Amino acid sequence: MQLQISTRDGIPIYLQIVNQVKYLVAAERLAPGEALPSVRKLAEQLVINPNTVARAYRELETAGVLTTRRGAGFYVSDGGSPLARREHIKILTERIDVLLAEARQMDVDLETLVGWLHKRNRLLEPAASRENRHG
Amino acid sequence: MVESVIEVRGLTRRFGKKSALHDVSLTIPRGSVFGLVGENGAGKTTLLKHLLGLLRAEIGSVRVFGRDPVADPVGVLGRIGCLSEDRDLPDWMRIDELMRYNQAFYPTWDEDYADELRREFALDSRQRVSTLSRGQRARAGLLMALAHRPDILVLDEPSSGLDPVVRQEILGAIVRTVADEGRTVLFSSHLLDEVERVADHVAMLHEGRLMACDSLDQIRRQHHRFIIRFDQPQDSSPQLPGALSCCGAGQEWTVLCNGGSEELVQAVLARGATIVDEASPSLEEIFVSRVS
């Protein structure tokens, strides 16, 4: 698990861990049932106060992203987490917003943009596009 | 209420005409990682010297474990591990001699732990102190500070002048000390980034005065950073009530404030400006706005 901590932008460190772990789970770079590094290990790896890591893990547990097994550390919760879906939407929404902003600057209207999305999708998914042509 | 291990009350210190500390009061809770920040010459080392009994409190009082470090040096220093900024180690000793020498002073010296640290820091027991590199000296100093498993670890600018690898090691040792032992760590630094990562309590010294002293959470909660935008370019920095600092140019300005921000928000709106962004500032921004 690779996390990047920054002290430049004023976001509390525990929150940076929470957000990045949520992202990793949503992006399936952390699989359900996978063990997270111990509090001590992650604190040493990131060179941060262990209490900060413990706080992030507790928050993630409350949010249902992680579960604890008594005395055996923290694990990614088994699938079906409603949070993963929400995180997916959040990640995509951010990208959509950027795309829309750029399109607007370039005077590309929504209809054209959606047309291009369909076109790109057909190119990336040959199977789907064949089906479309037959249907 | 968490028990405190260090209590400083109204400490004032002058060297000749120069005031090094002015009416400093602070409490360090047990188990905390306490970061003392300030520029060079702000009084950090002078404050630490009082805690270690190297300077007597002329005005005000200093208590460590409830005792006066000058009156009871054995009772206090035996429970403190210290790494001074200049890392004064006897040059003519070998590492193994230095370890035996320190062991003689500390009844709680843990031989196995000392050896474990020596291996971890890759220090050769036959090597002479005079031939150690800067980084190795820092590691040796840290070993001597840790091996008697002190209740308080005091580090004066532990990472100044070190390369990133050794810096990381020293900070890692602080992290481990807290994780393993739940002991108190007090360290001074002018690197705000490293304080923000490792500390949970922070005291800011500026020209001998304590500018802020609280848990890092509280300090961050109390400070706000607004980006405000005016309809018209402003020729000079707008004067706003409660603002610690205000910088920018033209129409957009960044304002830092402490505590209740409502008055400031009202003043911003009254001038026909809008708040385009609100966030919590980094420790570095807070510090800079406080001392400039």
Side-chain angles (χ1 to χ4, degrees), chain A residues 14-35:
Chain A
Y14 86 91
L15 203 56
Q16 294 182 39
I17 299 175
V18 167
N19 290 341
Q20 289 181 43
V21 168
K22 281 180 179 175
Y23 179 86
L24 290 174
V25 170
E28 290 172 1
R29 274 170 55 194
L30 274 174
E34 194 173 331

Side-chain angles (χ1 to χ4, degrees), chain B:
Chain B
M1 183 71 195
V2 183
E3 189 190 349
S4 69
V5 286
I6 293 176
E7 289 265 356
V8 177
R9 288 285 154 262
L11 184 62
T12 294
R13 180 78 190 198
R14 279 191 194 86
F15 296 117
K17 277 188 183 167
K18 192 181 173 291
S19 165
L21 291 173
H22 186 85
D23 196 19
V24 170
S25 296
L26 55 83
T27 302
I28 300 183
R30 182 181 295 279
S32 62
V33 183
F34 198 99
L36 187 60
V37 304
E39 299 144 305
N40 295 326
K44 301 186 298 267
T45 302
T46 306
L47 176 57
L48 293 183
K49 280 186 173 166
H50 278 93
L51 302 179
L52 297 170
L54 299 171
L55 289 172
R56 184 189 300 273
E58 290 169 346
I59 302 170
S61 72
V62 171
R63 290 289 176 275
V64 181
F65 311 115
R67 301 166 195 211
D68 178 350
V70 175
D72 184 6
V74 176
V76 171
L77 291 183
R79 296 168 65 186
I80 293 184
C82 177
L83 180 64
S84 68
E85 193 178 3
D86 41 16
R87 292 160 200 126
D88 38 358
L89 305 169
D91 271 341
W92 50 273
M93 279 195 192
R94 293 193 319 238
I95 293 286
D96 56 354
E97 291 169 333
L98 187 59
M99 286 164 75
R100 279 202 300 278
Y101 174 78
N102 271 276
Q103 185 171 9
F105 285 102
Y106 297 105
T108 56
W109 185 272
D110 183 335
E111 226 170 308
D112 294 338
Y113 183 45
D115 227 47
E116 189 188 313
L117 287 167
R118 188 185 58 73
R119 279 194 300 272
E120 191 184 318
F121 292 161
L123 290 168
D124 178 358
S125 46
R126 314 288 296 171
Q127 198 176 346
R128 264 182 216 293
V129 169
S130 57
T131 65
L132 295 175
S133 71
R134 235 184 136 90
Q136 286 171 322
R137 256 185 124 79
R139 291 185 184 121
L142 188 62
L143 188 161
M144 303 309 153
L146 284 172
H148 65 283
R149 297 188 181 274
D151 290 320
I152 305 179
L153 183 61
V154 177
L155 309 156
D156 192 5
E157 295 282 352
S159 54
S160 79
L162 297 177
D163 64 68
V165 176
V166 187
R167 240 187 83 186
Q168 198 90 347
E169 250 178 43
I170 302 272
L171 290 177
I174 298 182
V175 169
R176 272 198 301 277
T177 309
V178 193
D180 285 353
E181 328 269 350
R183 298 190 174 177
T184 311
V185 179
L186 167 61
F187 75 111
S188 71
S189 178
H190 59 271
L191 300 171
L192 281 294
D193 156 76
E194 113 188 351
V195 173
E196 183 150 13
R197 279 173 169 262
V198 178
D200 46 36
H201 285 71
V202 174
M204 290 182 180
L205 268 179
H206 179 58
E207 292 173 353
R209 286 165 201 269
L210 204 57
M211 308 301 287
C213 179
D214 215 325
S215 73
L216 189 54
D217 271 354
Q218 194 60 28
I219 288 180
R220 299 179 56 115
R221 253 199 302 274
Q222 278 170 353
H223 291 82
H224 300 271
R225 179 185 59 205
F226 297 100
I227 297 176
I228 59 175
R229 192 172 168 80
F230 292 90
D231 289 340
Q232 298 295 323
Q234 304 288 304
D235 294 334
S236 60
S237 168
Q239 297 299 312
L240 296 163
L244 288 171
S245 74
C246 188
C247 58
Q251 286 173 266
E252 269 195 15
W253 295 78
T254 300
V255 185
L256 239 82
C257 76
N258 177 25
S261 50
E262 276 162 36
E263 196 189 355
L264 183 125
V265 172
Q266 290 302 323
V268 168
L269 298 177
R271 279 161 206 237
T274 49
I275 290 165
V276 291
D277 188 43
E278 183 185 350
S280 62
S282 69
L283 192 59
E284 184 149 352
E285 287 171 290
I286 296 172
F287 181 73
V288 169
S289 75
R290 286 256 162 163
V291 303
S292 54

Side-chain angles (χ1 to χ4, degrees), chain A residues 13-118:
Chain A
I13 294 174
Y14 86 91
L15 203 56
Q16 294 182 39
I17 299 175
V18 167
N19 290 341
Q20 289 181 43
V21 168
K22 281 180 179 175
Y23 179 86
L24 290 174
V25 170
E28 290 172 1
R29 274 170 55 194
L30 274 174
E34 194 173 331
L36 272 83
S38 68
V39 167
R40 178 194 154 142
K41 213 165 161 193
L42 188 61
E44 271 189 57
Q45 184 193 323
L46 301 174
V47 198
I48 57 174
N49 193 309
N51 296 328
T52 306
V53 178
R55 180 170 173 193
Y57 279 7
R58 276 198 309 274
E59 294 250 332
L60 285 162
E61 190 191 359
T62 312
V65 182
L66 302 182
T67 51
T68 61
R69 294 177 201 166
R70 199 180 293 272
F74 287 85
Y75 295 80
V76 178
S77 300
D78 286 325
S81 159
L83 184 124
R85 180 80 191 147
R86 276 208 301 278
E87 251 342 87
H88 285 151
I89 294 171
K90 198 177 136 201
I91 293 164
L92 285 177
T93 305
E94 278 169 16
R95 301 214 173 175
I96 290 170
D97 290 351
V98 172
L99 184 66
L100 285 173
E102 288 186 352
R104 201 165 299 163
Q105 267 179 350
M106 298 174 193
D107 264 339
V108 174
D109 65 22
L110 186 59
E111 214 172 311
T112 314
L113 191 65
V114 172
W116 287 345
L117 273 176
H118 282 300

